[in-house]
Amino acid sequence: MQVIPKVLYLLNSVINQRLTAGYDTAGGTGMNIVVNIYYTGTDGNAGKFAEEMEKSGTAAEIRREVGNLRYEYFFPMADPETVLLIDSWKDQEAIDRHHASPMMEKIAELRVKYDLHMRVERYVSDEGGIPEADSRFIKE
């Protein structure tokens, strides 16, 4: 196993252990919630969606929402019909406020416009950070 995949495997294992260990993600723990959303379409529609989210200012508005820590689009090299959104929030309350905001209607309209399908992954940050045993694989 190469170093990078091994680090990703190890980090993913730690995250999954935390998610299944019964940690309270609803508040009070100080753990951030990261939501990875894979938008997939055809004819470049996922990229057009991300571009419109940025150009319309919708993404910028979401970044200004209380509790939003990160809202960034990435383009997987192996799949030109997919866009990855990494969406990070302070806590579940912040996500709930976002889901109740007018932004969700705008996002839903664009999803329909571009006929996108979604796959979602949700992770809770590790309060302890990267374990020392994993640090040797990371060059800062």
Side-chain angles (χ1 to χ4, degrees), residues 10-125:
L10 292 170
L11 293 176
N12 194 36
S13 295
V14 170
I15 290 168
N16 286 330
Q17 288 171 1
R18 298 294 292 232
L19 286 172
T20 58
Y23 284 83
D24 176 14
T25 61
T29 62
M31 288 190 275
N32 301 327
I33 300 169
V34 177
V35 182
N36 291 343
I37 303 173
Y38 296 85
Y39 290 105
T40 302
T42 57
D43 301 321
N45 279 347
K48 293 172 190 172
F49 164 80
E51 186 176 333
E52 187 165 340
M53 286 288 291
E54 291 293 340
K55 286 187 176 180
S56 69
T58 303
E61 288 181 55
I62 293 168
R63 290 181 189 110
R64 287 190 297 268
E65 287 185 65
V66 173
N68 182 265
L69 303 173
R70 182 178 193 187
Y71 195 90
E72 289 186 78
Y73 292 101
F74 295 88
F75 298 88
M77 292 174 63
D79 185 358
E81 295 299 338
T82 295
V83 170
L84 166 63
L85 168 64
I86 299 179
D87 191 15
S88 182
W89 297 87
K90 179 183 174 223
D91 53 27
Q92 185 60 47
E93 268 185 28
I95 294 173
D96 292 344
R97 280 192 307 273
H98 169 64
H99 286 163
S101 77
M103 292 305 116
M104 290 309 297
E105 187 174 328
K106 290 180 184 180
I107 295 168
E109 288 171 3
L110 290 177
R111 288 176 187 159
V112 170
K113 176 181 177 179
Y114 291 107
D115 190 26
L116 298 179
H117 299 274
M118 300 164 52
R119 180 171 55 91
V120 178
E121 301 169 341
R122 180 181 160 109
Y123 302 96
V124 177
S125 65

